[in-house]
Amino acid sequence: MKTPNFRIAELLASYARNPSIELRNQLVKLNTGLVRKVAYQISRQSAEPYEDLSQVGYIGLILAIERFDGRKGYAFSSFAIPYIRGEILNFIRDRSTTLKIPRRWQELYRKGKKVRGELALSLGYQPSEDGVARALGVTPQEWRECKSAAQNRFLVSLDATASKDTDNSLPLEEILADPRDRARQAWQEDRLQLQGAMSQLDRKTQDAIEFVYLRDLSRKEAAKQLGVSTITVSRHLQKGINQLALQLQTAV
């Protein structure tokens, strides 16, 4: 009788050669333990229900299944856990956002992430933003605005108060008189501009930049996470930097 790990390796190899929903579902079923383990660990330190976290974790598991390359020689569990954990933490971050966006856009953005994964699976490559918009039944412009709002929602409003004491509360903009606070405000504006430019990059380039420059991974580590070669990561980074520079210069 084959061991579960050997069975998983066989199915992953088959999936890499010929992806199908049936194979993917089998792999998800065989790896539910990974999702449950990560969701349980995070739920002990989060106010979000374990059931919600585990549901989101399956999105990360599916992403890992799609990106795993058994030829690299590492265990699938080691590859999948960062994806599962990342999706759950992103979900918690989204739920705790300070800046609210319309409920319809929140739902559209979540649906768009799911649709992107499904299209990538059926097409064999990452779909364009226009392709995602068509699948969602919205215009490309609305989808871009929805994405931009969702990705830029962490900036704190200047109308927010700096204290919960209603008798002594002050708007944040009144506290920004200090030069250091003005510098912080300028940094926030630059961050917003950078996030908008990042949202225009293709998904693989965004992932490469996030792993190397935001998560501070080496290019070799990023390549392992993405299931590509270090040369490919370097190409994505160079492409992304060039595109970001062009977009930011145009925005000035």
Side-chain angles (χ1 to χ4, degrees):
M1 184 176 180
K2 295 178 180 178
T3 64
N5 287 340
F6 188 81
R7 177 61 176 159
I8 290 171
E10 276 190 334
L11 288 174
L12 284 167
S14 298
Y15 187 81
R17 292 191 299 269
N18 186 25
S20 70
I21 295 177
E22 291 74 18
L23 281 176
R24 188 191 69 184
N25 289 345
Q26 289 184 58
L27 285 163
V28 169
K29 186 175 181 179
L30 287 171
N31 288 281
T32 55
L34 294 178
V35 175
R36 291 171 180 171
K37 177 181 178 180
V38 176
Y40 175 73
Q41 291 173 340
I42 297 178
S43 69
R44 297 179 66 184
Q45 303 175 9
S46 170
E48 298 298 332
Y50 162 80
E51 291 76 12
D52 290 353
L53 300 184
S54 61
Q55 288 298 317
V56 175
Y58 284 111
I59 298 175
L61 175 58
I62 291 172
L63 288 174
I65 291 171
E66 293 175 355
R67 298 181 178 183
F68 183 72
D69 186 349
R71 295 171 298 180
K72 303 296 183 179
Y74 39 74
F76 176 70
S77 58
S78 300
F79 180 83
I81 285 176
Y83 281 94
I84 297 169
R85 182 177 179 82
E87 285 296 322
I88 293 176
L89 293 179
N90 284 341
F91 171 76
I92 293 175
R93 181 189 63 188
D94 291 350
R95 299 275 288 186
S96 62
T97 178
T98 302
L99 182 61
K100 302 299 181 182
I101 63 175
R103 186 177 187 84
R104 178 178 181 276
W105 275 11
Q106 293 181 42
E107 295 174 351
L108 183 63
Y109 182 67
R110 286 195 291 269
K111 185 177 179 181
K113 292 176 67 176
K114 180 181 179 181
V115 165
R116 181 189 295 280
E118 293 173 345
L119 286 175
L121 179 60
S122 61
L123 296 173
Y125 56 86
Q126 288 296 329
S128 66
E129 298 304 329
D130 287 357
V132 174
R134 284 195 298 271
L136 291 169
V138 299
T139 65
Q141 178 64 26
E142 182 176 4
W143 172 237
R144 283 193 292 270
E145 290 175 354
C146 169
K147 276 190 63 180
S148 178
Q151 293 169 348
N152 296 333
R153 61 190 173 278
F154 301 105
L155 297 181
V156 178
S157 169
L158 295 181
D159 294 327
T161 58
S163 171
K164 293 183 179 180
D165 184 346
T166 55
D167 294 330
N168 298 293
S169 60
L170 289 174
L172 291 179
E173 62 183 349
E174 294 185 18
I175 305 176
L176 293 176
D178 188 286
R180 289 173 297 181
D181 291 318
R182 291 185 183 277
R184 189 177 299 112
Q185 181 183 8
W187 177 84
Q188 292 280 29
E189 292 172 352
D190 290 342
R191 179 179 174 220
L192 176 62
Q193 191 175 22
L194 177 60
Q195 288 176 329
M198 279 282 289
S199 69
Q200 302 303 311
L201 303 178
D202 64 78
R203 183 63 186 179
K204 291 181 179 179
T205 301
Q206 287 186 44
D207 287 343
I209 291 175
E210 178 181 350
F211 279 124
V212 174
Y213 294 120
L214 301 183
R215 301 191 187 183
D216 201 26
L217 298 181
S218 68
R219 297 189 182 197
K220 183 177 181 180
E221 291 171 329
K224 182 177 180 180
Q225 293 288 340
L226 295 171
V228 299
S229 67
T230 54
I231 294 177
T232 300
V233 169
S234 296
R235 287 173 179 167
H236 281 306
L237 291 175
Q238 188 60 54
K239 173 185 174 182
I241 291 171
N242 290 340
Q243 291 181 349
L244 287 175
L246 179 62
Q247 292 184 48
L248 293 174
Q249 286 174 2
T250 303
V252 174

